[in-house]
Amino acid sequence: MRVMAQMSMVMNIDKCIGCHTCSVTCKQAWTNRTGVEYVWFNNVETKPGVGYPREYEDQEKWGGGWVRTKRGRLKLRSGGRIQKLASIFYNPKLPEIEDYYEPWTYDYDMLLNAPAGEHTPVARPKSLLTGDDMKIGWSANWDDDLGGSTETVQNDPILKHMSDHVAMEFEQSFMFYLPRICEHCLNPSCVASCPSGAMYKRSEDGIVLVDQDQCRGWRMCVSGCPYKKVYFNHKTGKAEKCTLCYPRLEVGLPTVCSETCVGRLRYLGLVLYDADRVLEAASVEDEKDLLEAQRNIILDPHDPAVIEAARAEDIPEDWIEAAQSSPIYKLINEYRVALPLHPEYRTMPMVWYIPPLSPVVDVVASSGNDGEDVRNLFAAIDQLRIPMEYLAGLFSAGDLGPVTESLQKLAAMRSYMRGINLDEGRDESIAEAVGMTGTEMEAMYRLLAIAKYEERYVIPQAHSEQARELDELACSLDYDGGPGMGGAGPFGLSSGHGPEPVAVENFHVLKDRQTADRPSTPGRMNLLNWDGNGRPTGMFPPDKQKDES
Amino acid sequence: MNALDFVLWIALPYAGMAVFIVGHIWRYRYDKFGWTSRSSEVYETRLLRLGSPMFHFGILMVLAGHVVGLLIPREWLYFIGIDEHMYHWGATVLGTAAAAMLVAGLAILIFRRRTNGPVFLATTVMDKIMYVFLSLTIVIGTAATVAHQIIGGGYNYRETISPWVRSILLFQPDPALMIDAPLLFQLHALSATLLFILWPFTRLVHVFSAPVGYLFRPYIVYRSRDEHRGSRSVRRGWEGSNLPEKTPGQKRF
């Protein structure tokens, strides 16, 4: 047993209202730059729907993830090492920007500067790729709330796998939102696809990152990732992806998407897993066993043997404690309500989902029955074959069992808690029906419904003995006049606006890039490191007015 | 030998070599972030699917041909049984095939770059300069092959150009060898030298990133956070003064 820690997330999509706040704040923090206009590290899809990029779940087409060979070994679906190198001059499985959408802006200037005239001036959409006028025809959430989905929903890869005629019938009765970020997989096929070895999994917390200095832009990671969550920055020619906001996590803050989630449906925490058994778990023969195999390699952090093994791997004491109080382990292995997204890709994803019960409740309630009665809900879960099959296609490789188990538990919890709220007493039989006790049910209710910030986000800081070098502290010395403020000092020229006080998400990245070399002489600067912003010392003649004052 | 010959066949090649080597070291140290092929595949795939493999496989074949023709003395080839006739025949047939593929690929790629809006917009000034010298070198080289090896009676460059290249590389330059070479071969060598001078400052640096290591590394790469904490490691002799380490193995600044 080789214990490793993994920072992971669970999203309770029963509570997602599809407001896109996570996407917008993530975009503002990370991808509001040229070259990544079309990139959403976090996006929210309406299901059923084709997703972003379009039909990314169709691995026959995109070749992402792993497949099991007849001999029981894992192989990258889009080909092994030699095949990858042979197709390095042209990657046949790479999505074009058009598969995401052509990014655009508006000619806002026209609104201000149009000459007086008879008609109101309009801001025309302009393509950010060509600068020309364009007709907007698709975006990251074009089929939001099933808008226009009569045209496209039949292309949903999961529906395609089900029967042909169900699509329309289905979308009239069942819809939910699916927020997606990088899965930070235990067996990441993007990392395995990278010819340069620039992608890696951080051994401390399992976050999957791209080394920007080592990436050579071969683009194999983009096709390798079955979730299409590695993107190509078309200006820098390098791959970029969700970083799980590691600069924030390192100082104990949740990711931007979690922090700003209106429905408070995201949970963050550590799990301990057995790294030695990852490959074995990812190679089980039957796709439907993958979920259980993954649950099995996620270790019980209270087990003395696990704790001992974790200590042997130098996992710090406070990290073990954090794993013990992690909401993730509870949701995945104790309550067993969380499920992974597309386990059949065999990447062992570590962002899990609690499937949505609300559409089931709506179906029951709209038929005039009591939508919170456990028997009605169980009956509905049994009868809604098509939606259940769809959920199973998303979360359990088509196996109805886990989805049913999870939804029944949520239904039982709803019913059980209503009894308490209406002073009808604690009906233990409801809890027993799903194999739980009343106490467990209430604890689960507490975690899912009223968990506070500290209970939803259990994030151990990086070691305090190393914290000096982390963002918050390093930056706090960097104010004007502060001890760290040396002009063109060891941190190079920050983007010309001086350092930000707290949680500068891209601090490491900026610093890495800008401190490629230290200026050899004080007062002179390395032109190559200047990004065009600000007024580095020695670059321009001194500002006379400022000098006089 | 006049001054011009000295400049063209000694000074320039050595200047080119120096810029090529020092330039790459400089670029690698100062601009790892810019070290990429800057692929434009996400903009357009239809033409790239044809042009890029044609160009790249073509140029790899051409490179192999140049290694055999220029760097390996013909006596060595005689030794393994490749005589003059066999060499000439092979070089002309394979070389022409490679050149045809290369030129066709290059033409497709240049056409694509010029006509596709996003691709053209993503083309830098340096790219354009590089394209001029790259195309020039390829076109003149192809012209020399066609004019002298196919149409002409066959010029035996292994008696002049090849020894000259080796003389440069062995630091015993013999410019006299190049003086009587046909003009097209001379121009080809000159434009190639200029291309080598530009090389480190263009996207051509991606040639040196050919990911051969991929064949030998484990699929999943793990790296510790500590390895790249902070901007970079402190240079030897410039470490700040700090309290002595308390926990063994714990990195401190």
Side-chain angles (χ1 to χ4, degrees), chain B residues 8-207:
Chain B
L8 290 185
W9 310 122
I10 297 185
L12 191 62
Y14 279 119
M17 235 161 93
V19 174
F20 188 78
I21 294 168
V22 176
H24 273 103
I25 296 170
W26 171 83
R27 177 90 188 266
Y28 190 75
R29 289 188 55 173
Y30 286 84
D31 187 28
K32 282 201 194 86
F33 183 69
W35 195 292
T36 150
S37 54
R38 280 226 334 281
S39 159
S40 56
E41 189 178 339
V42 287
Y43 296 132
E44 197 276 347
T45 53
R46 206 171 45 84
L47 285 170
L48 190 78
R49 156 180 243 145
L50 260 179
S52 179
M54 276 168 79
F55 174 82
H56 283 98
F57 286 117
I59 202 140
L60 285 178
M61 282 167 70
V62 167
L63 173 75
H66 277 67
V67 168
V68 175
L70 294 181
L71 300 186
I72 300 178
R74 53 179 174 175
E75 291 76 19
W76 296 15
L77 292 183
Y78 294 159
F79 186 74
I80 58 167
I82 300 177
D83 62 23
E84 200 63 43
H85 176 74
M86 224 159 109
Y87 173 82
H88 182 77
W89 188 85
T92 306
V93 170
L94 289 177
T96 308
M101 199 158 96
L102 175 61
V103 171
L106 183 72
I108 294 173
L109 290 183
I110 291 178
F111 172 78
R112 168 179 181 270
R113 198 155 272 284
R114 188 63 196 83
T115 53
N116 186 288
V119 181
F120 187 55
L121 275 182
T123 310
T124 63
V125 177
M126 210 57 204
D127 287 341
K128 290 175 190 167
I129 300 173
M130 181 273 287
Y131 262 104
V132 169
F133 282 91
L134 182 67
S135 314
L136 208 63
T137 309
I138 291 174
V139 168
I140 298 175
T142 309
T145 305
V146 172
H148 292 281
Q149 311 302 99
I150 300 178
I151 300 171
Y155 175 67
N156 199 344
Y157 49 80
R158 290 203 296 172
E159 284 170 358
T160 55
I161 303 176
S162 305
W164 170 73
V165 170
R166 290 196 294 270
S167 77
I168 294 283
L169 293 178
L170 295 173
F171 295 101
Q172 291 163 339
D174 184 1
L177 289 165
M178 274 308 272
I179 291 171
D180 293 321
L183 182 67
L184 280 173
F185 283 107
Q186 287 182 333
L187 289 177
H188 177 66
L190 285 178
S191 73
T193 311
L194 294 175
L195 182 65
F196 284 133
I197 290 175
L198 281 173
W199 196 296
F201 314 103
T202 65
R203 59 165 64 179
L204 292 183
V205 292
H206 76 267
V207 170

Side-chain angles (χ1 to χ4, degrees), chain A residues 518 520, chain B residues 232-241 253:
Chain A
R518 185 189 296 252
S520 51
Chain B
R232 63 203 170 113
S233 53
V234 176
R235 285 188 195 151
R236 220 150 54 90
W238 291 94
E239 300 93 350
S241 44
F253 265 57

Side-chain angles (χ1 to χ4, degrees), chain A residues 5 53 88 99 114 153 158 219 255 280 282 315 318 380 407 418:
Chain A
I88 203 159
D99 289 305
V153 78
I158 301 173
R219 317 174 297 292
T255 65
E280 176 196 327
I315 295 177
D318 54 330
L407 288 182
R418 184 175 72 161

